[in-house]
Amino acid sequence: MARRYKAGKILQSQFAELLATLAKSEHVNALRGIQRGVERETLRITEQGKLAATPHPKGLGAALKHPLITTDYAETLMEFITPVASDINVTLEQLADIHKVTYQELGDELLWPLSMPCFVGSADDIVIAQYGKSNTGRMKTLYRKGLTYRYGGGMQIIAGVHFNFSLSDEFLALLAEHENKTFNQDFISTKYFHLIRNYKRVCWIIPYLFGASPAICKSFLQHTEDNIEFSSMGKGTVYRPYGTSLRMSDLGYTNKEQADLKITYNTLEEYVGGLRRAITKESTRFSKIGVKVDGEYRQLNNNILQIENEFYSAIRPKRVARSGETPTQALERGGVEYIEVRALDVNPFSPVGITAEQIRFLDLLLIYCAISPSKEMSWDEQVIADKNFNRVVMDGRNPRLTLNDNNYERPISDWLEDIFADLQQIAKVMDGANHSSDYSNTVAQQYRCVLNPELTLSGQFLSHLLENQIDNSEFGMTLARQYKQQLTGKPLAYFSEAEFERLRDASLTAQADLEAQDANSSFDDFLQEYFRRAACQSPDC
């Protein structure tokens, strides 16, 4: 223990030095320049609490081409995407406006406010997302069909929130100067992988605080293969007494064969190489499905990953891809541009699925990951980090829970205390730059959840069910109706009605043009050429 303490003091000294540099008044813009975006998923449901059987509303435009309103894996699973912004309030205004416009086109339908789905009957009720007749649209639908064959339909309708985050160039330049490194794209990519490794080590804190799926509808279990021990309540709800995020458990979307690839996050080249192996290495398990059977496609291919987006991870390094590029080709061309945090449940206590306080906490956590020392992470260390994450997902509110910290079983409360002490220091610096106390207030508010785990989102969620003797569906339906009433008919705060009309019309035109362009082309040839190019470092190969 003495050696661990000494190392910790040295690292704390480096951390404090860097914070002192960032706190200087001339570096205010470095801290204010964080760029963010939110992607919120939500199911369309009927007034009876079942999956909507209707197609994506045409009044919202074409899901294939709309930049703000699209669908995810299932036709009923909507995805709302905010543009990049540096102001948290702007991001939330954008997200609320997207919800408002969507409600106008839903008729009697509602938006399900929970991560785990409502009542699920037959798998036939889950309709794969449809994107039209173009080759690109058909490929997107076929990819989802492959997911259904591979993992079953249940995982298609689990909803989450993705948080996109990038540090300002000024911030990254300060880090380069502090480390006596040249500030260039190689440094930026290296620093984002530095952040990702630290995130992997401590990302269990996200389901601890913000996990909001400790209970699920029993009907969902018929669509899964995992044998998790549950308690029961009411007519149709099962739960884990100390659970936080069943969405992130093996009930959700996982690909166990991916573990064999041992994809790590030490360098851009290492990560890209691992993903490229995954999209070119044949899977014994998925080969049994067949690719084209009796003239009909079942999946894009029989590889471990059909495409890179199938890779399951709680965080991804990203760059906006150019036309024709795959995600890895974009990374190889331009390096890492931002990161995508994928461990957030939908917040059921927010009408838009996420709050300003959550965003501020994520800012602090990701800055912490960027400026704390981050040694390389072996595959074995990554496995330990993943096991810690799973322990918190299943039993995070258990006061006796321990996590593996450098092969030492450490009480989760003790580790949380250390992290919050550092986050409090970062919050003071962020507040100084923004002339507010918002970040410090966020840390103080979330620290209450360290002292009492029942104040976490999962604790509040489960307490509400047990105290009111209601099941998951009743709670979800009450919130769904409440949020629809709250947002329907309210004036837009950021966008205009005309802007949404323009985006709708442009998306419909773009899809029609693409379908006309592909009318006489071969889908087989399109797929063959796509995967030929995907196996190369450049789409022009």
Side-chain angles (χ1 to χ4, degrees):
M1 286 293 290
R3 188 184 305 171
R4 282 167 46 81
Y5 180 77
K6 184 179 179 182
K9 283 291 186 184
I10 293 169
L11 297 185
Q12 281 297 314
S13 172
Q14 295 171 358
F15 181 86
E17 267 182 47
L18 192 46
L19 267 185
T21 300
L22 289 168
K24 293 179 179 176
S25 59
E26 64 265 30
H27 299 148
V28 164
N29 289 336
L31 295 167
R32 288 181 181 170
I34 292 171
Q35 298 280 306
R36 311 170 190 84
V38 170
E39 302 168 21
R40 187 261 165 108
E41 299 163 351
T42 177
L43 282 167
R44 287 187 294 112
I45 60 168
T46 68
E47 263 287 348
Q48 292 71 45
K50 296 183 179 180
L51 299 178
T54 52
H56 183 70
K58 193 171 183 180
L60 294 175
L64 179 66
K65 288 294 186 178
H66 201 295
L68 308 181
I69 304 171
T70 183
T71 51
D72 196 79
Y73 291 109
E75 184 73 354
T76 54
L77 185 55
M78 306 194 78
E79 183 173 4
F80 302 147
I81 304 167
T82 69
V84 176
S86 58
D87 185 310
I88 292 172
N89 291 328
V90 166
T91 293
L92 292 173
E93 285 178 354
Q94 292 169 341
L95 189 57
D97 282 356
I98 295 170
H99 281 73
K100 293 170 190 174
V101 166
T102 299
Y103 278 123
Q104 292 174 14
E105 300 296 331
L106 289 189
D108 293 333
E109 292 175 0
L110 303 166
L111 296 178
W112 185 243
L114 312 182
S115 274
M116 298 305 283
C118 51
F119 177 78
V120 184
S122 165
D124 295 336
D125 295 338
I126 304 169
V127 178
I128 296 166
Q130 303 296 306
Y131 297 100
K133 300 175 183 177
S134 69
N135 287 332
T136 301
R138 290 175 65 188
M139 180 179 170
K140 285 173 73 74
T141 296
L142 176 56
Y143 164 60
R144 287 151 174 76
K145 185 177 182 180
L147 293 176
T148 306
Y149 270 104
R150 290 173 173 223
Y151 313 109
M155 59 75 57
Q156 309 274 39
I157 53 173
I158 295 172
V161 173
H162 299 166
F163 179 67
N164 298 320
F165 174 93
S166 65
L167 297 161
S168 67
D169 282 348
E170 294 92 335
F171 190 108
L172 291 162
L174 280 173
L175 295 185
E177 182 181 339
H178 184 79
E179 297 176 21
N180 293 316
K181 301 281 179 64
T182 302
F183 176 62
N184 54 25
Q185 184 56 54
D186 285 344
F187 175 84
I188 292 172
S189 295
T190 298
K191 187 51 62 176
Y192 276 120
F193 276 96
H194 169 129
L195 181 160
I196 288 170
R197 290 192 300 276
N198 276 337
Y199 173 90
K200 294 285 284 185
R201 293 178 175 110
V202 299
C203 64
W204 50 262
I205 198 172
I206 294 178
Y208 176 83
L209 293 173
F210 303 138
S213 52
I216 60 172
C217 293
K218 193 180 295 184
S219 64
F220 183 77
L221 296 179
Q222 66 184 302
H223 302 282
T224 70
E225 297 177 359
D226 288 276
N227 297 314
I228 295 174
E229 187 177 338
F230 289 108
S231 299
S232 297
M233 74 170 81
K235 298 176 183 177
T237 296
V238 294
Y239 67 99
R240 293 279 299 180
Y242 296 118
T244 63
S245 176
L246 294 175
R247 164 183 165 265
M248 296 301 295
S249 73
D250 285 344
L251 286 175
Y253 170 28
T254 58
N255 179 343
K256 295 178 177 65
E257 291 201 24
Q258 292 181 14
D260 296 334
L261 297 165
K262 300 185 177 179
I263 294 174
T264 50
Y265 298 86
N266 293 316
T267 65
L268 175 62
E269 295 74 22
E270 198 175 277
Y271 175 78
V272 166
L275 271 184
R276 189 156 283 136
R277 286 195 307 275
I279 62 170
T280 55
K281 184 178 179 182
E282 187 174 311
S283 162
T284 302
R285 175 186 166 199
F286 299 146
S287 293
K288 295 174 183 176
I289 296 168
V291 175
K292 198 173 186 181
V293 179
D294 297 329
E296 183 177 342
Y297 278 106
R298 291 185 171 183
Q299 54 183 341
L300 290 173
N301 54 54
N302 56 9
N303 296 330
I304 293 175
L305 303 180
Q306 298 174 90
I307 56 175
E308 293 152 10
N309 286 347
E310 193 174 336
F311 179 55
Y312 176 80
S313 178
I315 190 168
R316 286 179 180 168
K318 302 283 290 262
R319 171 165 286 275
V320 176
R322 294 172 179 169
S323 178
E325 277 187 331
T326 66
T328 54
Q329 288 168 347
L331 286 172
E332 285 176 309
R333 168 182 56 79
V336 183
E337 186 177 9
Y338 65 98
I339 56 99
E340 179 188 34
V341 171
R342 301 167 56 81
L344 281 165
D345 282 358
V346 175
N347 184 340
F349 303 106
S350 163
V352 296
I354 189 171
T355 66
E357 185 169 295
Q358 285 181 286
I359 293 174
R360 282 193 290 270
F361 185 87
L362 290 169
D363 284 350
L364 296 174
L365 181 66
L366 294 171
I367 291 171
Y368 166 84
C369 291
I371 68 176
S372 299
S374 180
K375 64 179 181 178
E376 288 197 348
M377 196 175 194
S378 70
W379 174 250
D380 288 342
E381 289 171 318
Q382 196 167 300
V383 168
I384 289 171
D386 290 343
K387 287 180 178 177
N388 281 343
F389 187 88
N390 289 332
R391 286 188 199 180
V392 174
V393 160
M394 299 301 289
D395 292 299
R397 286 179 293 107
N398 186 335
R400 292 181 295 279
L401 181 67
T402 63
L403 302 178
N404 186 328
D405 180 14
N406 291 318
N407 296 316
Y408 163 69
E409 284 297 320
R410 185 177 187 184
I412 186 173
S413 57
D414 181 57
W415 201 341
L416 283 165
E417 290 280 355
D418 272 4
I419 293 173
F420 266 79
D422 288 338
L423 295 181
Q424 188 175 40
Q425 294 180 58
I426 299 170
K428 290 177 182 176
V429 175
M430 289 293 287
D431 283 339
N434 289 282
H435 307 295
S436 78
S437 58
D438 289 344
Y439 283 93
S440 293
N441 290 342
T442 291
V443 172
Q445 188 68 18
Q446 293 304 316
Y447 182 66
R448 294 171 65 239
C449 301
V450 176
L451 300 177
N452 181 3
E454 297 312 306
L455 296 177
T456 61
L457 290 188
S458 61
Q460 293 180 56
F461 186 100
L462 202 54
S463 292
H464 189 87
L465 298 190
L466 293 170
E467 288 171 9
N468 293 282
Q469 296 185 324
I470 59 173
D471 61 24
N472 227 35
S473 293
E474 289 177 85
F475 186 38
M477 289 303 295
T478 298
L479 292 175
R481 295 186 183 108
Q482 175 186 321
Y483 294 152
K484 182 173 184 177
Q485 183 178 15
Q486 188 175 330
L487 292 175
T488 299
K490 295 294 189 296
L492 301 181
Y494 181 85
F495 298 106
S496 66
E497 294 281 358
E499 197 164 0
F500 275 110
E501 290 170 6
R502 180 184 62 78
L503 292 172
R504 176 198 65 199
D505 295 345
S507 70
L508 292 167
T509 299
Q511 178 170 318
D513 289 347
L514 194 58
E515 289 176 350
Q517 175 186 316
D518 291 347
N520 298 313
S521 63
S522 163
F523 184 54
D524 288 358
D525 291 346
F526 172 82
L527 289 182
Q528 185 176 353
E529 177 60 14
Y530 176 89
F531 287 111
R532 184 192 69 79
R533 288 187 285 107
C536 303
Q537 288 191 350
S538 164
D540 301 321
C541 65

